[in-house]
Amino acid sequence: MDLRSFIDLLQKSGELTKITKPVSTEYELAGIINALEEKPVFFENVKESGFPVIAGLVSSKELICRSLGITKEQLLPKLSLAIEKPIAPQVVEKAPCQEVVYTGAEVDLTKLPIMHYTDKDGGKYIASAVSIIKDPKTGQRNMCFHRLMFKDKNHFIVRIVENRGTDSALKKVPEGELEIAICVGNSTAVLLAAATSLSVGVDELGMANALEKTDLVKCKTVNLEVPAEAEFVFEGRITKEKALEGPFLDLTGVIDRTRQQPVIEITCITHRKNPIYQTILAGKNEHKFLMGMPKEPTIYNEVNKVCQCKDVYITPGGCSWLHAVVQIHKTQADEGRKAIFAAFEGHKSLKHVIVVDEDINIYDPHDVEWAISTRFQADKNLIVMSNQSGSSLDPSGDLSEGKKATTAKAGIDATTPVVTTGKGFKKEDYIKVDLNKYCN
């Protein structure tokens, strides 16, 4: 369902907090969202803007599943299928996201409730924006997240990670400029697809459409298509100009450094009537779920190539990016080891992975730790790999300017040996009783 339908559902179920008192974009909005532990909240009165703000819609797996109309058990298979079999979206002639159009001198980003998150930030930021570009050589569409630092009424400074889709497309443009469309206020399906790294040539909007029907509409001033139900769309171009971007709070909860990054010029703004501005808290649950959860099916698919994978969890303690627990049904002695290498293949930025048996609850850190303590021997079941391609989000890695981030990686095989000569690998439990029979 689109953003508005989900807001209505939460309001009817009494799960949406509404705040009517005036609230400022200067730290106050972020502070309230954080104090509410990112539960869904709607701000009706924003001091610096005439637009209301929504937050907390993707702050848990339960909320994500409800917005997609599925159960938690269905989520991983559904994401996996959408990645493997995207469906080309339909392009419509008219769309809600273009009910209001501003061009030229009418463009004014200062009217938006763009937030100052922390006092360490280099400026005001949009952290919830989905960006869409096309490869100038192949015409292939690419959708992803780029954080946007507000510059002035018609410019952003955009953080573009090196050697990824947008950066690769920019390098193919002789004049160094590239058309871009930026969408704020999207369905959960669009957000999840934008956060997923798909194979070259696979359309993220096709993945979104496979998760739930996602129609597109052609932009007004650039040769790009955007989700028809988006709340706001900013059309423009990535220019050759660069400016200082950052610092900003990142996924790991630490402040990312400053860099010279490209400037985006916005030449057209379209939005729905009475649009709703969606925000997410940088470094908190929504950021983590959107970043990490789409990597679970890619790990799942790779591990299934070497053994039977039962479940995957990108852990919040690992910043929902650097750590994973993989649950397998083990039938061969070397499958734990194979699963480790497959997990790293499924998520290139993964730093540490733990492989466990299907009797271990991968969502319970105590259970995972129990598996390590009873089933793992460091001299036999530990895999360490030095000088590996890593994540720019890993503050302890080698993040030298001008080169790809590198790090050391480790895999822990905490599975039971297939053939054992002794006891102690399996948990024993007590009989289950109905306390109502005894305590009433």
Side-chain angles (χ1 to χ4, degrees):
M1 63 187 78
D2 68 4
L3 179 136
R4 293 189 179 200
S5 299
F6 192 39
I7 291 173
D8 288 343
L9 184 151
L10 294 173
Q11 184 170 350
K12 288 175 183 176
S13 64
E15 298 170 83
L16 181 69
T17 299
K18 280 197 171 184
I19 294 181
T20 58
K21 292 182 178 180
V23 177
S24 175
T25 58
E26 293 292 314
Y27 315 121
E28 193 175 13
L29 263 171
I32 294 170
I33 297 166
N34 185 55
L36 287 170
E37 297 179 332
E38 294 178 273
K39 292 181 176 67
V41 55
F42 189 85
F43 297 91
E44 294 184 343
N45 190 348
V46 180
K47 291 179 181 178
E48 295 85 356
S49 175
F51 301 119
V53 173
I54 186 73
L57 297 186
V58 289
S59 57
S60 71
K61 276 195 175 183
E62 288 77 13
L63 285 169
I64 288 168
C65 291
R66 287 176 63 194
S67 69
L68 294 174
I70 58 174
T71 65
K72 282 179 69 176
E73 292 73 25
Q74 294 171 319
L75 181 58
L76 185 58
K78 189 170 183 69
L79 286 172
S80 179
L81 183 62
I83 290 170
E84 293 293 315
K85 296 182 179 180
I87 300 171
Q90 180 182 354
V91 179
V92 298
E93 292 295 321
K94 295 182 67 177
C97 70
Q98 294 177 341
E99 290 172 335
V100 179
V101 179
Y102 297 103
T103 58
E106 296 176 311
V107 171
D108 189 356
L109 298 172
T110 65
K111 294 181 179 180
L112 295 166
I114 303 175
M115 293 165 55
H116 232 136
Y117 287 82
T118 78
D119 58 5
K120 303 293 192 303
D121 299 342
K124 290 190 171 188
Y125 270 88
I126 300 180
S128 58
V130 163
S131 296
I132 299 170
I133 57 102
K134 281 184 181 177
D135 186 290
K137 299 294 185 184
T138 66
Q140 174 63 41
R141 191 164 50 213
N142 179 265
M143 178 172 69
C144 63
F145 280 92
H146 290 307
R147 72 186 188 215
L148 302 168
M149 182 177 174
F150 171 78
K151 187 173 187 287
D152 55 42
K153 64 178 293 185
N154 62 335
H155 292 93
F156 291 114
I157 309 169
V158 56
R159 168 64 177 134
I160 297 177
V161 178
E162 296 74 12
N163 302 312
R164 300 282 178 86
T166 304
D167 183 57
S168 298
L170 266 174
K171 290 174 180 175
K172 297 178 183 179
V173 185
E175 59 272 22
E177 297 191 344
L178 189 69
E179 289 184 332
I180 188 169
I182 299 162
C183 307
V184 174
N186 296 286
S187 69
T188 299
V190 168
L191 295 176
L192 289 173
T196 304
S197 298
L198 299 177
S199 301
V200 176
V202 181
D203 182 14
E204 289 84 5
L205 282 163
M207 176 187 168
N209 193 45
L211 288 172
E212 64 178 21
K213 184 171 173 54
T214 303
D215 289 340
L216 308 181
V217 68
K218 192 171 180 62
C219 287
K220 293 291 186 181
T221 62
V222 295
N223 184 29
L224 295 166
E225 301 80 33
V226 294
E229 302 288 337
E231 293 291 320
F232 291 89
V233 179
F234 313 132
E235 301 177 13
R237 60 194 177 93
I238 306 173
T239 71
K240 291 181 288 187
E241 180 187 354
K242 291 195 174 184
L244 200 63
E245 187 274 333
F248 188 61
L249 185 66
D250 218 330
L251 181 68
T252 53
V254 300
I255 299 297
D256 193 17
R257 62 189 174 86
T258 59
R259 302 172 181 84
Q260 288 291 321
Q261 293 287 280
V263 172
I264 294 177
E265 181 181 9
I266 302 301
T267 54
C268 176
I269 296 177
T270 72
H271 62 70
R272 299 179 67 144
K273 292 178 182 176
N274 304 312
I276 302 168
Y277 181 93
Q278 183 181 22
T279 190
I280 64 173
L281 281 194
K284 294 295 184 177
N285 286 337
E286 288 194 281
H287 191 182
K288 289 179 178 180
F289 276 112
L290 286 175
M291 282 286 288
M293 202 175 67
K295 289 301 181 183
E296 293 173 356
T298 64
I299 294 173
Y300 177 80
N301 290 341
E302 286 297 325
V303 175
N304 265 317
K305 294 177 182 179
V306 298
C307 63
Q308 186 180 352
C309 185
K310 305 296 290 185
D311 206 352
V312 177
Y313 183 37
I314 303 284
T315 66
C319 306
S320 291
W321 191 246
L322 301 174
H323 288 180
V325 184
V326 176
Q327 184 189 69
I328 66 171
H329 172 67
K330 185 176 177 181
T331 60
Q332 302 292 327
D334 63 347
E335 286 180 340
R337 186 180 185 88
K338 286 180 177 179
I340 288 171
F341 289 110
F344 286 129
E345 185 64 27
H347 178 22
K348 303 290 189 182
S349 293
L350 193 63
K351 185 178 179 182
H352 302 136
V353 60
I354 303 168
V355 180
V356 298
D357 295 298
E358 54 194 312
D359 64 327
I360 300 300
N361 179 2
I362 64 174
Y363 302 99
D364 182 352
H366 298 292
D367 215 25
V368 174
E369 187 177 358
W370 180 87
I372 295 172
S373 67
T374 60
R375 301 175 178 180
F376 167 74
Q377 289 293 310
D379 61 342
K380 299 174 184 176
N381 309 123
L382 177 67
I383 295 172
V384 178
M385 298 175 288
S386 302
N387 197 32
Q388 298 291 301
S389 177
S391 171
S392 60
L393 297 174
D394 176 10
S396 66
D398 184 351
L399 306 180
S400 301
E401 190 72 40
K403 58 177 279 190
K404 187 168 176 56
T406 58
T407 191
K409 298 189 176 187
I412 293 174
D413 179 4
T415 58
T416 305
V418 174
V419 179
T420 65
T421 56
K423 298 180 179 179
F425 289 105
K426 298 292 183 183
K427 278 186 175 181
E428 294 297 332
D429 208 349
Y430 296 95
I431 64 166
K432 302 212 179 289
V433 299
D434 181 2
L435 287 177
N436 291 323
K437 294 180 179 180
Y438 309 97
C439 300
N440 286 340

